[in-house]
Amino acid sequence: MYDIIIIGGGAAGFFAAINAAEKNKDLKIAILERGKDVLQKVRVSGGGRCNVTHACFEPATLINYYPRGKEKLLEPFRKFQPTDTIEWFENHGVKIKKEADGRMFPVSNSSQSIIECFLDACSNNNIEILTNARVESIEKQEEEWRVIIGGERVLATKKLMIATGSDTAIWRLLEKLELNIVPPVPSLFTFNIKDDRIKDLMGISVEQATCRIRHSKSGNKSLDNFSSNGAALITHWGLSGPAILKLSAWAARELNEANYQFEVIVNWLGNTDMEKARQHLHQLITLQPKKNVFANTEFGLPIRLWKSLCTASGIGEYQKWAETGKKHLIKFTEQLTACTFNVNGKSTFKEEFVTAGGVDLEEIDFEKFNSKKHPSLFMAGEVLNIDAITGGFNFQAAWTGGWLAAQHL
Ligand SMILES: Cc1cc2nc3c(=O)[nH]c(=O)nc-3n(C[C@H](O)[C@H](O)[C@H](O)COP(=O)(O)OP(=O)(O)OC[C@H]3O[C@@H](n4cnc5c(N)ncnc54)[C@H](O)[C@@H]3O)c2cc1C
C-alpha cells in the first residue's frame, strides 16, 4: 500500500513526486515507468540541452503560448510560473540561463543536469522508481486505487497520479473511468513543400516573415483564420522555423482534418504589405534605373531567395530596374509578399514535438490538477489536452501541473 503512486516517469511525474515528498517526508511514493529508463523525453529535449522554460514572467502573457489550455492555465501560472521554475531548479543545484530568444536552458547546456537533479532528489526523499513497469489496468476500489503492472503485479495506493504523456493505452483506461478524452493529433511539425522556388535554398532563413494558411482543396475555410510571424526557415523538405511551427500548433486540429493538404502564403517582408512593397519597387525604377535587379537584393532578403523570386516573376539575370514593366512589378510584389506554396504533408521537427488532445480540460479541477469525478486521481503534463508552441512552454505546463498536484497529493 502506497500513499501515492505516479504512473509515468517523465517531467510531470518526477516533478510531482519530488514536490510531494519534500512537502511531507513520511509519504510512501512510487513512480512507475513502462520503459527501462526514466526521463527519456527530458534527455532528448531541446536537442539534448532541455529547454526547461521560457523567460515570460507574466501569467496573462504566458497563457498566449498555449493553443490548448490557455484559459485554464491562468490561475495555475499565478501559483507556479517560470520564475518559480528557475528558483526551484537553482535551489536544487541547477543554474538556468536565458538565451536571446527567451528560451531558458541549464547553464551546463545538458539535459543530463536535470535528470541527475531529479534522480538525486528521488534518492534523498526515498521515492521508489520502478522501471519496466507498464501499467495495464487501473481499478478504483472504495477509497483506494489498484494498479496492475505486467498482467499480474497489483499495487494499491490512496492517491493516484497519471503523468503518462501522450500514451493512447492510458487514455483508453481513463475512458473506462468515464473521463472524456479529446482525440489526439500531432502538433509542432514542419510543412512538406516541393517547389522550384525553394528547391535549392535549404538553410536560408528570413528573420521576420508572416505566414498564413489558406483553406485546403477540401474547402475547410476555418483554416483561413490562422497566421503567424517570426523566422521562416527553408529546409530540404519545405518550410520550418518558428513562424511555421507556431502555425502547426495553432491549426493542429484543422490541419489534421485537412489531411495536411493546404496552402501556406508567405510574406517574406513580414509587416511590409503588398502596396508598400510595390511603392518601394516603383521608387527603385526611378532612383536606380541602370542597376541590375537580379544581383541586388532589397528589404534585407537573402540574395539567393531574392534571385529565386526574381526568376519566378520572369525577371531575367541581366535585367535592369528601368526594364521592369508593370507586369513584372505586379508578379514580383506578389512573390515577395504573398508567395503561395502547396503543402503536401508534414515532417517531424526533431527538437520538440507534442500531441494536442488528451483528457478533456472540463474533467479537471485546476486548483489541484485532479479529476472532478474522482478527486483522488491527479493528472498533469501531456496526458491533459494542453500543449504549447515550441520554446520551453510545454515543460512549463508539466512543472506547473506537477507542482500544484503535489501540494494536494
Ligand atoms: C524530441 C522532443 C523534444 C522536446 N523538447 C522540449 C523542450 O526542449 N522544451 C519543452 O518545453 N518541451 C519539449 N518537448 C515536449 C516535452 O518533452 C513534453 O511536453 C513533456 O515531456 C511532457 O511531460 P509528461 O511528463 O507529460 O510526459 P513524458 O515526458 O512523455 O513522460 C511520460 C512517461 O510516462 C511513461 N508511460 C506512458 N505510459 C505508461 C504506462 N502505461 N505505464 C508506465 N509508464 C508509462 C512514458 O514511458 C514516459 O516516460 C519535447 C518533446 C520531444 C518529443
Side-chain angles (χ1 to χ4, degrees):
M1 170 62 88
Y2 288 86
D3 294 305
I4 302 168
I5 283 182
I6 294 175
I7 309 178
F14 267 82
F15 212 65
I18 295 164
N19 281 293
E22 288 181 350
K23 231 177 134 55
N24 182 351
K25 295 248 179 266
D26 298 330
L27 293 174
K28 186 171 157 63
I29 304 177
I31 297 174
L32 311 183
E33 167 55 46
R34 68 175 168 194
K36 73 175 174 37
D37 292 311
V38 293
L39 296 164
Q40 283 307 295
K41 264 200 203 168
V42 169
R43 184 179 301 284
V44 297
S45 66
R49 294 200 299 143
C50 188
N51 178 194
V52 275
T53 187
H54 200 96
C56 175
F57 306 114
E58 177 48 58
T61 310
L62 186 59
I63 56 169
N64 293 319
Y65 295 96
Y66 293 82
R68 284 144 296 266
K70 184 176 165 174
E71 286 84 14
K72 303 285 185 190
L73 283 171
L74 182 60
E75 285 309 314
F77 281 153
R78 287 195 171 131
K79 294 174 187 138
F80 196 91
Q81 55 125 317
T83 322
D84 304 299
T85 303
I86 297 161
E87 196 182 316
W88 191 95
F89 279 106
E90 299 212 340
N91 287 341
H92 288 76
V94 182
K95 283 220 171 315
I96 306 288
K97 61 165 179 176
K98 179 182 140 191
E99 302 217 325
D101 59 4
R103 291 181 303 158
M104 304 199 77
F105 294 88
V107 167
S108 64
N109 271 329
S110 168
S111 56
Q112 190 59 28
S113 310
I114 305 292
I115 296 175
E116 279 166 16
C117 159
F118 284 171
L119 292 179
D120 285 351
C122 283
S123 149
N124 294 340
N125 289 289
N126 298 320
I127 296 168
E128 286 178 45
I129 301 171
L130 279 69
T131 51
N132 296 311
R134 178 189 290 275
V135 171
E136 285 162 359
S137 171
I138 302 166
E139 287 164 20
K140 195 178 176 192
Q141 292 194 347
E142 291 169 11
E143 290 309 298
E144 64 183 54
W145 292 91
R146 296 277 161 110
V147 174
I148 297 155
I149 310 171
E152 47 192 32
R153 197 164 165 203
V154 183
L155 302 178
T157 182
K158 291 176 197 149
K159 287 178 179 166
L160 180 63
M161 170 149 185
I162 313 284
T164 42
S166 49
D167 184 78
T168 316
I170 290 287
W171 282 324
R172 273 193 218 113
L173 295 184
L174 292 175
E175 270 175 336
K176 286 193 193 150
L177 293 170
E178 295 182 348
L179 296 191
N180 188 36
I181 306 295
V182 179
V185 296
S187 182
L188 293 182
F189 47 82
T190 66
F191 296 172
N192 292 357
I193 297 166
K194 276 206 166 78
D195 191 293
D196 281 347
R197 286 168 295 177
I198 55 170
K199 197 174 89 190
D200 296 318
L201 302 184
M202 49 283 250
I204 282 184
S205 141
V206 171
E207 276 317 301
Q208 272 306 326
T210 303
C211 303
R212 85 189 143 87
I213 293 175
R214 191 152 66 188
H215 64 272
S216 60
K217 287 167 203 123
S218 65
N220 183 352
K221 292 222 163 154
S222 62
L223 282 174
D224 295 6
N225 301 328
F226 297 101
S227 68
S228 73
N229 296 306
L233 171 72
I234 300 171
T235 69
H236 259 292
W237 299 274
L239 286 175
S240 178
I244 298 298
L245 292 164
K246 275 191 260 178
L247 270 186
S248 80
W250 284 99
R253 197 156 293 284
E254 287 80 359
L255 292 180
N256 179 267
E257 278 161 19
N259 202 21
Y260 306 103
Q261 311 289 317
F262 57 97
E263 286 176 343
V264 61
I265 303 168
V266 182
N267 180 345
W268 299 108
L269 311 184
N271 292 330
T272 306
D273 65 16
M274 206 176 251
E275 182 48 27
K276 276 197 208 131
R278 195 196 59 77
Q279 283 170 10
H280 183 91
L281 297 182
H282 208 75
Q283 269 185 343
L284 294 174
I285 297 176
T286 326
L287 296 176
Q288 46 185 48
K290 295 215 169 94
K291 206 165 172 185
N292 179 300
V293 180
F294 200 80
N296 294 288
T297 181
E298 288 287 328
F299 305 103
L301 274 195
I303 183 71
R304 285 168 60 214
L305 176 62
W306 172 266
K307 285 181 177 175
S308 172
L309 299 178
C310 281
T311 306
S313 319
I315 294 172
E317 206 177 329
Y318 303 106
Q319 190 167 321
K320 297 189 173 65
W321 279 107
E323 297 157 356
T324 308
K326 198 174 167 194
K327 209 174 95 195
H328 279 151
L329 212 61
I330 292 173
K331 275 199 168 171
F332 196 29
T333 315
E334 213 172 85
Q335 289 297 329
L336 288 165
T337 59
C339 195
T340 305
F341 296 101
N342 279 319
V343 180
N344 182 9
K346 61 174 176 56
S347 290
T348 306
F349 173 58
K350 299 266 166 25
E351 286 226 345
E352 180 173 352
F353 50 90
V354 282
T355 303
V359 176
D360 190 336
L361 303 186
E362 293 310 317
E363 300 281 0
I364 305 296
D365 171 354
F366 279 90
E367 228 184 286
K368 301 179 183 165
F369 277 73
N370 64 347
S371 156
K372 290 178 187 167
K373 287 183 188 129
H374 311 279
S376 57
L377 179 68
F378 292 73
M379 283 163 273
E382 227 176 293
V383 70
L384 301 175
N385 181 24
I386 290 179
D387 63 271
I389 64 166
T390 180
F393 304 102
N394 282 301
F395 276 142
Q396 184 55 52
W399 313 139
T400 297
W403 187 85
L404 269 165
Q407 309 312 303
H408 302 277
L409 274 164

